[in-house]
Amino acid sequence: MSETIYSRKFAAGEEIFRIGDQGRNAYFIEKGRVEITNPRDGEDLVLATLGVGEIFGEMSMIDDAPRSATVRALEDTEVIIIQRSRIMQPVISADPMMNLILRVVLARFRGAQHKLAGMSTEPGEIDRSLGEIRDLAIKRINFEKDMRRGLELGQFEMHYQPIVALDGRTIAGFEALMRWQKDDGGFISPGEFIPLAEQTGLIIELGRRALEDGLRDQIRLAETYKSVYPHQDVPFMSINVSGMQLTDLAEIDLMAGLIEESGADPAHIKLEITETLLVENFDHAIEALQKLKSLGVLIAIDDFGTGYSSLSYLHQFPLDTLKIDRAFVVNMHESDNSRRIVRSIVQLALSLNMSIVAEGIEEMEQLSTLHALGSHYGQGYLMSKPLPFNDALALIESKPIW
Ligand code: CMP
Ligand code: MG
């Protein structure tokens, strides 16, 4: 992530931009003063004089329309450039309603300015021009409404994907994965609803649900497993935990309570956490993880290699398992580099005494290579897709060997 902040200097009297210019950046005045003017009856009408700490150019930055006024430096001036891509892209994707509101406010301001200048704006014109942005905002609101309703109606259900020991090629554990089945029977993929759940805060509730169901079903799957494989270790249950759940200490207490009261053996519960979370909020994350770890649960680092991959955190956290992201596994046989990366990740994890799960295994060749490289476990469509609880039970009973 580049954190470069650009600044620029303008000499006294220099024009920074002119009305009608294309422009996508706003400017924060660090030093100096600028004058904002509009031509009116053959003269320059001064709209404002701005100094240190003030911002100009924000209008075009927001809606990408041509500059509404001319800006000139009154003194030697220094500005910090505020890039549209940095500011607006996150707003548009995270909160389309906020984007719509910004655009409505701006459109109304432009409308008022036009009126004052004696130019006409048709009533309703503003609202019509925002059609696409409004559609996006409404779509998002409806999605959120559907999701809340789906939660109430029990449309979210955990499915369980087996994780296979690469030595004996039998089931060693499961990952609990959430499915959303809508009224019409169609499935919405977690890839679609999880980011939205994160943005709306619903992830907290979904996360609790996943934990509760995962704990309960681990006990049930383990019972069957023990009767089928009396001499093997009880299967572990991997449960995904989102960053948002870990940023709230009260939520961690609640999760700890759920784990303790579930009756599941914490030694067979593995919480999966993404590396982005660890890197973004290091001090807090370490406290949260230690608290969970003290219950006796295992911690896995999920999707390893796709986030920041800051290796410095690896030895500072109480991590038990590293999950190699599917992106490396899928390319392993096409690309020498992918295979070398997988080998290095495996060696890194082994030297840190972590166990390794490779995700996204689709071909027997990948499974063999991963085993040869030293990965302990594998997960993927080659073995099984995520299964409803009863099918997972049936799978155990069928004693599969891959
Ligand atoms: P933008 O339209 O991007 O470029 C010209 C800038 O002038 C505009 O953003 C605002 O920052 C500023 N501006 C426009 N109208 C006014 C006003 N009435 N008062 C103060 N500043 C203005
Ligand atoms: Mg996971």
Side-chain angles (χ1 to χ4, degrees):
M1 250 193 332
S2 137
E3 286 295 331
T4 320
I5 292 171
Y6 298 96
S7 53
R8 269 189 74 176
K9 292 184 180 165
F10 296 95
E14 195 177 341
E15 192 177 274
I16 297 174
F17 55 72
R18 184 187 288 264
I19 183 168
D21 282 357
Q22 280 305 328
R24 319 188 72 203
N25 297 331
Y27 300 85
F28 177 88
I29 305 174
E30 267 204 304
K31 193 172 149 254
R33 260 172 355 120
V34 304
E35 184 182 67
I36 307 212
T37 61
N38 245 329
R40 197 67 50 84
D41 306 325
E43 283 184 40
D44 277 349
L45 177 72
V46 177
L47 297 175
T49 306
L50 305 178
V52 172
E54 293 190 280
I55 285 174
F56 62 92
E58 77 291 345
M59 293 169 60
S60 294
M61 189 203 73
I62 292 171
D63 68 4
D64 210 14
R67 297 295 187 188
S68 63
T70 298
V71 180
R72 187 174 293 108
L74 288 174
E75 311 166 358
D76 289 351
T77 294
E78 276 180 50
V79 297
I80 293 177
I81 298 175
I82 306 169
Q83 290 166 281
R84 178 182 163 86
S85 54
R86 281 269 293 273
I87 306 294
M88 293 309 293
Q89 284 321 319
V91 174
I92 293 166
S93 57
D95 199 338
M97 185 52 79
M98 183 50 77
N99 185 39
L100 176 64
I101 289 169
L102 270 175
R103 300 287 289 257
V104 166
V105 170
L106 183 54
R108 290 196 176 134
F109 178 73
R110 287 194 193 280
Q113 246 181 350
H114 278 200
K115 270 216 178 84
L116 289 175
M119 296 152 77
S120 68
T121 317
E122 289 289 318
E125 196 178 301
I126 290 172
D127 280 8
R128 273 199 302 279
S129 73
L130 293 174
E132 226 173 278
I133 294 167
R134 189 203 332 280
D135 288 349
L136 209 64
I138 291 172
K139 202 173 140 203
R140 179 65 63 91
I141 293 236
N142 282 331
F143 199 79
E144 187 180 342
K145 218 171 73 193
D146 284 357
M147 217 153 90
R148 288 188 192 279
R149 201 174 138 267
L151 260 169
E152 277 163 26
L153 294 178
Q155 292 177 351
F156 289 86
E157 194 189 51
M158 300 313 292
H159 282 205
Y160 299 98
Q161 185 172 36
I163 295 172
V164 172
L166 297 185
D167 268 343
R169 301 198 176 181
T170 56
I171 298 174
F174 290 89
E175 179 175 0
L177 294 157
M178 192 165 265
R179 290 287 118 122
W180 178 13
Q181 189 167 24
K182 303 245 289 186
D183 298 327
D184 59 13
F187 285 100
I188 311 275
S189 79
E192 206 177 327
F193 71 78
I194 296 289
L196 200 77
E198 274 166 349
Q199 284 153 22
T200 56
L202 278 171
I203 193 73
I204 297 276
E205 192 161 342
L206 290 182
R208 270 183 214 161
R209 195 66 77 79
L211 185 59
E212 274 174 323
D213 289 6
L215 289 164
R216 183 197 62 212
D217 290 341
Q218 191 274 336
I219 297 173
R220 299 200 286 166
L221 290 170
E223 261 166 38
T224 300
Y225 193 93
K226 269 184 273 184
S227 66
V228 176
Y229 300 104
H231 305 297
Q232 255 168 248
D233 269 352
V234 166
F236 59 84
M237 178 67 82
S238 263
I239 302 171
N240 294 282
V241 173
S242 85
M244 219 185 225
Q245 285 170 284
L246 288 190
T247 48
D248 181 1
L249 282 178
E251 189 60 30
I252 294 167
D253 284 338
L254 193 146
M255 289 169 57
L258 289 177
I259 293 168
E260 281 173 331
E261 285 154 28
S262 68
D265 180 351
H268 299 125
I269 300 301
K270 202 179 269 192
L271 303 179
E272 293 195 3
I273 287 151
T274 63
E275 58 185 327
T276 313
L277 167 82
L278 300 186
V279 178
E280 275 180 354
N281 202 345
F282 190 88
D283 290 332
H284 181 81
I286 203 159
E287 194 186 333
L289 288 191
Q290 265 152 3
K291 185 147 192 185
L292 290 169
K293 196 73 231 240
S294 70
L295 302 170
V297 299
L298 305 167
I299 309 278
I301 182 108
D302 207 358
D303 306 328
F304 185 80
T306 57
Y308 297 83
S309 293
S310 157
L311 298 180
S312 62
Y313 67 77
L314 274 183
H315 68 97
Q316 302 188 51
F317 279 103
L319 302 170
D320 302 283
T321 299
L322 186 153
K323 294 191 79 170
I324 303 176
D325 192 73
R326 57 168 30 78
F328 300 114
V329 174
V330 167
N331 284 323
M332 227 172 34
H333 287 103
E334 279 84 73
S335 143
D336 285 344
N337 278 338
S338 283
R339 196 165 48 250
R340 286 192 197 108
I341 289 172
V342 170
R343 176 181 295 138
S344 317
I345 295 176
V346 167
Q347 272 156 13
L348 176 71
L350 289 176
S351 67
L352 290 168
N353 266 325
M354 295 168 75
S355 70
I356 303 151
V357 179
E359 296 175 337
I361 300 180
E362 290 178 6
E363 289 157 23
M364 200 42 97
E365 207 185 351
Q366 294 165 339
L367 187 142
S368 313
T369 305
L370 285 161
H371 184 220
L373 290 177
S375 175
H376 306 105
Y377 303 103
Q379 180 180 353
Y381 276 27
L382 174 69
M383 288 76 88
S384 167
K385 60 184 205 261
L387 302 168
F389 177 76
N390 284 328
D391 294 358
L393 268 190
L395 184 71
I396 294 174
E397 280 164 346
S398 76
K399 291 185 143 197
I401 297 180
W402 284 279

